[in-house]
Amino acid sequence: MKVLNKITWMALVSCMLVSVGCQKVLDEKNRSGLARDYFTSPGGIDAAVIATYSNLRNWYCQEGMCYNTMIGTDENIPGFGTSGNFHTYTLQANDGGINSIWEWSYRSINNANGVLQYADAAGLTTAQATQLKAEAKFMRAYYYFMLVITFGDVSISTQFASSPSTSATREPIATVYDLIVKDLTEALVDLPAKPTSPGRAGKAATLHLLSKVYLTRGWSTAAKATDFTDAYTTANSLITNKATYGIDLWSDYADMWKEANDYSNKEVIFQIERNTDPKGSETTGIGTGNPGGKFNGANFYQRPNYPIFSVNLNGGITGAPAFTLNGTATATTNPVDRDVAYGRPFGRVRPSNYVLNTAFADKTNDTRYAKTFQLIYMFNRPGPLAAQTPVTIVVTRAASPGNPAGPLAQYTWQKGVDTAIILTGKATVTEDERKVTKSYLMTTNQYDVNMFPSNKKHDDVTRAHTNDASDRPFPLMRFAETYLIAAEAAFKGGSSLTNAANMINVVRNRAGALPITSADVTLDFILDERTRELFGEWMRWYDLVRTKTLQARLATYNPIPAFRADRDYLRPIPLQQINLVTTGPKYPQNPNY
């Protein structure tokens, strides 16, 4: 196998994390200067495994991975705070978000290589060494999978490196997939049925990941004849034996996202650990708006600028009302102020019209719409208004498409009791609806970069300050997706359309959506169902790349002029990787970057 370039190996040996105990979450602290001797003790081997898990926090939930997975797809369009080039497909090879995927993958792969190479001689019991090596194989497979689906052909090494090299070559994706499948099938034998603690791998996570690897390879140029059958069989094995692995679907979709269920969430197969201890969250600057480190910003990026909801404030919302409070004109006063429950208005991504009006066309039967999006805002004005309860509100509405200007009925709002704003999900509402509803009814034609239905799956209401990052774990793999993997594999020839419909109906029935038949199963329907079930869960770009539908779905739902099908199904190889290969052939860039 070929070694990587100098900067990659320098990164590999510069970051390790040491275990300082395992309670309900993984606790780690930083350590640098990793050397061969570090793998000679049981604690060093365990720490190297934990490091491969911890390094996931460098992606999830960082802004770069938010953009990489969500924006520039059919599902998400720019919000008021969007930056970078992902949404315009003018991405450059020096982008930090892309470099992070490359760099942290290879750091973690080297950790795993060290475990696999030295664990047997580190003084562990046979059982301990076997399990830790299985975890290392699982994580090495995960990182190589992320590399191959992001960049295509990549460098491979299965040997621990403690010194840098200035030469490197790229291996074909077929070779990379073979290593991934080998690692996962071997890990499956030795991992426990249930993980030893939250955030570590068990058989369920291995089966889920392996089924997705087979599915993804089956769509690729490296496809093997049995890939879709293997994907279906593997996913179905997990589904059939769910009791053995201690996993299941919640009967209520909302329970999956309840903060109270974070460490007893039967639907989560594999999660990235967070906690309130800085050793677990690796977050600094609490309450300052500058969380730093490997913070969890999943509760930030999909939040609108809800305090802007006034016709005259910062440009306002088209057709939003001006308010008179207790007889005093307050055109620049908003009825909703920042608070922990509604989150920090970060506005990096927002749902597209496709999500709101096509995928979620059925807002009556399918409960996932209301359980995914923040649709109501309570009257919560602080300061002088806190002593004025209730508050008399007279609302004068500006004209907006489909809604003429005019005064509305007088409201009496009590702070924390009455709803100030409802995002109706409808293009128009009648005057009668407005007059009998003691709230301002916002229509879909008023949604814009500032105000929109926002994903509330990752909300963290236990934070002390609106600007605080989240200490919730991030669900990377969950059981509902296993059904959708099985459905896609069945559709592609791994089983039958009837089985595909049955798998889809499991998640639809849970949501109250109408059941489908085999005649309804198409690739577009499967992708729509993935939106309904998995929206905002940091995977959409990879879904569209896997199914080779990125170009078509963008053309239909989110045209982006600079998109090129001969370039944008892969991300650019990081520039520092290319520049620091100085021995032997130049490291190849992906086409048209």
Side-chain angles (χ1 to χ4, degrees), residues 188 192-195 200-209 211 234-251 256 264-271 477-483 506 510:
L188 186 61
K194 300 177 183 179
R200 300 188 83 141
K203 289 187 186 297
T206 309
L207 287 167
H208 179 95
L209 181 56
S211 66
T234 305
N236 192 49
S237 174
L238 177 53
I239 292 165
T240 302
N241 297 292
K242 60 184 181 180
T244 301
Y245 306 123
I247 59 172
D248 204 350
L249 296 179
W250 293 99
S251 59
M256 165 63 215
S264 58
N265 198 322
K266 63 184 179 180
E267 192 166 331
V268 174
I269 297 173
F270 183 68
Q271 65 190 26
M477 304 175 194
R478 67 180 180 94
F479 194 38
E481 194 200 4
T482 310
Y483 285 94
V506 172
R510 191 260 293 268

Side-chain angles (χ1 to χ4, degrees), residues 57-73:
R57 295 202 286 259
N58 289 283
W59 302 345
Y60 298 96
C61 303
Q62 305 301 301
E63 195 165 329
M65 186 59 92
C66 165
Y67 290 144
N68 179 54
T69 56
M70 287 192 275
I71 208 164
T73 69

Side-chain angles (χ1 to χ4, degrees), residues 93-107:
N94 61 354
D95 182 87
I98 291 303
N99 182 67
S100 180
I101 297 174
W102 185 275
E103 180 178 350
W104 287 104
S105 289
Y106 282 116
R107 290 191 189 196

